[in-house]
Amino acid sequence: MLLLVTRPLPDAEDTAKRLRGLGHAVLVQPFLRIVFAPPPRDLAEPAALIVTSRNALRAVQTWPQAVRWRGRPVFVVGKATAREAAALGFSDVRVGGGDAAALAETIENDLAPEAG
């Protein structure tokens, strides 16, 4: 079967490779191009990071100050983003269950403010 993959690069190539491995013919035509914004100035040191895609992790990775954040909790939506975070050196990766609502619940449970 001929399939069209429209994801942005480099993820489109990963998807196409898996599909070809299953015996499909694949065309790759990304509908979007990911362009990273420059690092923000005067960014406060975060207690944790919330990341909703592998592209967001790749963007953060380009920020010089992110080197200091590798030990901070990184909350991610799914397993693929968790694997990417770990591969980039983040040591405290927490998976939120696959969608925005589950991620919000994980963050709420893990980072509840101290009573007092």
Side-chain angles (χ1 to χ4, degrees):
M1 178 179 297
L2 178 60
L3 302 173
L4 174 64
V5 175
T6 62
R7 298 183 77 186
L9 295 171
D11 297 321
E13 292 297 343
D14 295 339
T15 300
K17 181 178 178 180
R18 284 194 315 272
L19 293 170
R20 288 181 184 115
L22 295 171
H24 298 287
V26 180
L27 298 174
V28 175
Q29 184 59 58
F31 283 176
L32 300 172
R33 182 172 55 98
I34 303 299
V35 178
F36 300 144
R41 291 191 221 173
D42 302 323
L43 183 64
E45 290 293 312
L49 290 92
I50 302 168
V51 180
T52 58
S53 73
R54 289 183 286 174
N55 282 315
L57 278 169
R58 293 171 187 142
V60 167
Q61 187 69 12
T62 68
W63 299 358
Q65 63 266 47
V67 171
R68 300 187 304 269
W69 304 343
R70 298 264 179 6
R72 308 270 165 77
V74 178
F75 292 89
V76 300
V77 174
K79 293 177 183 177
T81 307
R83 284 190 299 272
E84 183 81 13
L88 292 173
F90 292 95
S91 60
D92 185 359
V93 181
R94 304 177 192 191
V95 181
D99 63 35
L103 177 61
E105 186 175 324
T106 299
I107 294 165
E108 182 178 13
N109 292 335
D110 286 7
L111 298 181
E114 298 289 328

